[in-house]
């Protein structure tokens, strides 16, 4: 091992295992080593905040298996780093709401169309105005569907099947969603009344922060055969939707963090960071949280489904054609911020694990039975958004993902700057004008502050994040897209 193969950042030591793989050796009370998957360029950005410290802390969680992992887009989060993956034993380990995060199933979906960029050109401003007028966004209430608590209970229990029954989906939407848009372990009774009250007025809304709806065009195709299986080709128009479980998911997390403080204070005291709050596997609290989390996952899937179906109607009005004629079909919907029970090979033994993916994306290769039949032979679509001034990517689950990352990869570009700093460094209206005048990207938001917070300069280079994923074989590049217009809260 040469000096170039060792990085020391204060009391944290990283050793290069191979290209793009850095290991933090086990020491002290660490239960397992930690690994960072990054190029040297990305590692230099990752080390700037508390990501590495948080990753080391995560190795202390009971039942942590193999190693705690930071993806190439990793940055500091609440307790567990964003871009973090950790698998804990479902019998002898724990489940950690702090390692899932507040916005449960903050995920992305992509909808294909048969429109080309040439067909859309000239309609950008009308389209962005129509989308902004018809897709609720921003803080607080207001959604596509006016609902009561009984409706919320149905959504929590049934997932996207509820949307199908009520005319907001078609059968193919379920067939192309992770888990067919339904977590069977969902328990609406484990979700508090306060959480349901927060969710009932937000069903079918983007929210604020980094959530958005973006119309994009396919600019590059890297794997023609896989792109064909995904129904993607150069110059095609697609729609990407990024949002989560809104106030309901946030309240679920808050409720269970508080309960852990009261009911499992001994476990909490044993952890180096109380924000990693966890409940012991098999405890009543762990079972209740899992049921509540799965219910919030269902809520988020319905939320994105409602937005997608409303988007179809907006396109109908703008382009004067039925959405079926424009072939506005769901490519895939993938969840972030979850902890799912999955079976993985660990040292030659099949074990059931809680796989925590906080700001990370499932990336299963071909052959996994959990995949929809449409993708079982080719591998799972992975959608990685960039900033609103850069490209996004569609990948497919790589053949090395199960071994290296419990079937996971990055979920985006990853921030390099806080929202407060972004608002100090950028002026929203200026960013908006530069995107329009220099790149022909039309952006509309509730406020200039939101645009400043999400300026292209506050994110890592998504091309570099995806290069690392592709070269490691955890997520293979399929196509690259580029923004046309974007709405956000």
């Amino acid at each position: 091992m040469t000096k170039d193969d060792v990085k020391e950042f204060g009391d944290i030591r990283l050793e290069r295992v191979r290209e793009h793989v850095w290991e933090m050796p086990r020491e002290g009370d660490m239960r397992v080593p930690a690994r960072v998957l990054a190029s040297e360029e990305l590692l230099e950005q990752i080390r700037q905040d508390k990501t590495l410290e948080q990753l080391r802390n995560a190795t202390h969680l009971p039942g942590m298996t193999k190693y705690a992992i930071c993806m190439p887009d990793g940055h500091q989060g609440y307790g567990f780093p964003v871009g973090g993956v950790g698998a804990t034993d479902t019998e002898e380990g724990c489940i950690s709401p702090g390692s899932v995060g507040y916005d449960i199933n903050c995920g992305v979906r992509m909808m294909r169309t048969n429109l080309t960029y040439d067909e859309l050109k000239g309609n950008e401003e009308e389209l962005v105005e129509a989308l902004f007028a018809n897709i609720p966004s921003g803080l607080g209430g207001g959604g596509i569907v006016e609902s009561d608590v009984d409706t919320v209970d149905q959504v929590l229990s049934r997932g996207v099947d509820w949307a199908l029954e009520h005319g907001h989906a078609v059968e193919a939407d379920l067939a192309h969603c992770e888990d067919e848009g339904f977590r069977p372990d969902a328990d609406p009774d484990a979700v508090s009344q306060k959480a349901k009250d927060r969710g009932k007025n937000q069903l079918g809304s983007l929210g604020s922060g980094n959530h958005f709806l973006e119309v994009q065009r396919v600019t590059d195709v890297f794997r023609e055969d896989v792109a064909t299986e995904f129904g993607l080709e150069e110059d095609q128009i697609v729609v990407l939707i990024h949002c989560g479980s809104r106030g309901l998911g946030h309240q679920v997390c808050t409720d269970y963090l508080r309960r852990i403080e009261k009911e499992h204070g001994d476990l909490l005291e044993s952890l180096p960071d109380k924000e990693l709050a966890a409940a012991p596997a098999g405890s009543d609290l762990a079972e209740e949280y899992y049921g509540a989390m799965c219910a919030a996952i269902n809520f988020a899937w319905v939320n994105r489904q409602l937005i997608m179906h409303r988007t179809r109607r907006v396109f109908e009005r703008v382009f004067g054609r039925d959405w079926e004629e424009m072939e506005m079909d769901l490519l895939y919907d993938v969840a972030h911020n979850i902890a799912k029970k999955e079976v993985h090979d660990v040292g030659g033994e099949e074990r059931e694990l809680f796989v925590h993916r906080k700001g990370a994306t499932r990336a299963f290769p071909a052959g996994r039975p959990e995949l929809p039949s449409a993708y079982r032979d080719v591998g799972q679509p992975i959608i990685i958004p960039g900033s609103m001034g850069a490209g996004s990517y569609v990948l497919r689950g790589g053949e090395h993902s199960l071994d290296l990352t419990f079937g996971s990869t990055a979920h985006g570009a990853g921030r390099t700057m806080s929202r407060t700093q972004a608002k100090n460094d950028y002026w929203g209206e200026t960013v908006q004008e530069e995107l329009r005048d220099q790149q022909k990207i039309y952006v509309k938001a509730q406020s200039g502050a939101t645009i400043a917070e999400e300026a292209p300069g506050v994110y890592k280079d998504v091309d570099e994040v995806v290069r690392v994923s592709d070269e490691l074989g955890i997520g293979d590049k399929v196509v690259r897209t580029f923004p046309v217009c974007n709405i956000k809260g």
Side-chain angles (χ1 to χ4, degrees), residues 24 53 167 212 253 303 309 319 332 378-379 391 453:
M24 190 186 303
E53 180 184 337
F212 64 86
C253 182
N303 191 37
H309 206 60
F319 295 100
Y332 200 59
V378 65
E453 289 176 4

Side-chain angles (χ1 to χ4, degrees), residues 287-320:
E287 295 300 317
E288 289 174 35
Y289 172 71
Y290 191 72
M293 180 196 65
C294 287
I297 290 173
N298 285 345
F299 184 93
W301 273 326
V302 173
N303 191 37
R304 291 196 288 276
Q305 177 64 40
L306 291 172
I307 292 170
M308 185 181 80
H309 206 60
R310 174 65 65 87
T311 300
R312 288 166 167 164
R313 301 303 184 194
V314 172
F315 268 67
E316 286 181 331
R317 290 196 287 274
V318 172
F319 295 100

Side-chain angles (χ1 to χ4, degrees), residues 54-72:
Q54 290 185 333
L55 184 66
R56 179 175 60 187
N57 290 342
T59 67
H60 293 246
L61 285 167
M64 186 65 79
T65 301
K66 208 169 180 180
Y67 29 68
I69 311 161
C70 177
M71 294 294 139

Side-chain angles (χ1 to χ4, degrees), residues 256-294:
Y256 282 90
L257 290 177
R258 288 173 178 167
R259 285 189 58 188
I260 285 170
E261 288 180 6
K262 295 177 180 178
E263 298 176 36
H264 295 287
D266 52 343
L267 173 54
L268 203 59
E269 289 298 324
S270 73
L271 297 172
D273 185 351
K274 291 183 179 180
E275 290 182 355
L276 286 170
S283 67
D284 289 343
L285 184 52
E287 295 300 317
E288 289 174 35
Y289 172 71
Y290 191 72
M293 180 196 65
C294 287

Side-chain angles (χ1 to χ4, degrees), residues 96-263:
S96 170
S99 302
V100 170
Y102 282 96
D103 195 1
I104 297 167
N105 188 5
C106 169
V108 291
R109 65 170 48 197
M110 179 175 282
M111 177 169 56
R112 300 181 297 246
T113 79
N114 63 13
L115 296 173
T116 65
Y117 182 49
D118 283 342
E119 289 177 288
L120 186 144
K121 273 194 292 191
N123 294 295
E124 295 97 332
E125 290 192 72
E126 180 187 0
L127 183 58
V128 77
E129 292 288 346
L131 288 167
F132 191 77
N134 287 278
I135 307 295
S137 62
L139 291 169
I144 288 170
V145 172
E146 291 186 12
S147 62
D148 53 24
V149 171
D150 288 340
T151 300
V152 171
D153 276 333
Q154 287 293 308
V155 168
L156 295 174
S157 177
R158 297 172 56 194
V160 182
D161 182 61
W162 175 90
L164 177 65
E165 180 185 330
H166 289 82
H168 303 292
V170 294
E171 289 280 0
D173 294 336
L174 280 68
H176 292 83
C177 184
E178 183 174 327
D179 298 335
E180 298 185 346
F182 169 61
R183 292 300 299 165
D185 293 316
D187 181 6
D189 292 337
V191 177
S192 70
Q193 186 64 45
K194 186 173 182 179
K196 293 173 184 178
D197 286 339
R198 291 185 67 179
K200 69 181 181 182
N201 297 321
Q202 296 181 332
L203 198 52
S205 61
L206 283 174
S208 59
N210 65 341
H211 296 160
F212 64 86
L213 182 152
E214 188 167 270
V215 179
Q216 306 174 332
R217 58 188 172 101
V218 177
T219 56
D220 303 275
V221 176
F222 304 103
R223 285 177 169 83
E224 193 86 40
D225 56 337
V226 182
T228 299
E229 291 286 342
F230 287 177
L232 298 173
E233 60 185 3
E234 195 169 326
D235 214 37
Q236 179 181 5
I237 294 296
V238 297
V239 180
L240 192 150
I241 298 165
H242 175 214
C243 60
S245 50
R246 297 297 322 273
L248 182 142
H250 193 285
Q251 191 63 47
V252 166
C253 182
T254 299
D255 290 341
Y256 282 90
L257 290 177
R258 288 173 178 167
R259 285 189 58 188
I260 285 170
E261 288 180 6
K262 295 177 180 178
E263 298 176 36

Side-chain angles (χ1 to χ4, degrees), residues 320-388:
R321 298 159 59 186
D322 290 339
W323 70 262
E324 294 96 335
E325 182 187 346
M326 291 182 281
E327 297 179 2
M328 300 185 73
D329 301 321
L330 179 61
L331 167 66
Y332 200 59
D333 181 301
V334 65
H336 316 143
N337 295 5
I338 53 171
K340 292 167 71 173
K341 292 178 183 177
E342 296 172 2
V343 175
H344 288 269
D345 184 304
V346 181
E349 178 187 358
E350 295 283 297
R351 291 174 59 184
E352 185 182 64
L353 306 168
F354 289 119
V355 182
H356 299 73
R357 295 186 180 95
K358 183 177 186 179
T361 299
R362 196 180 77 173
F364 281 175
R368 281 287 294 210
E370 297 96 329
L371 294 181
S373 58
Y375 303 126
R376 203 163 293 151
D377 294 335
V378 65
Q380 176 204 311
I382 303 160
I383 304 156
I384 299 188
S387 73
M388 58 186 170

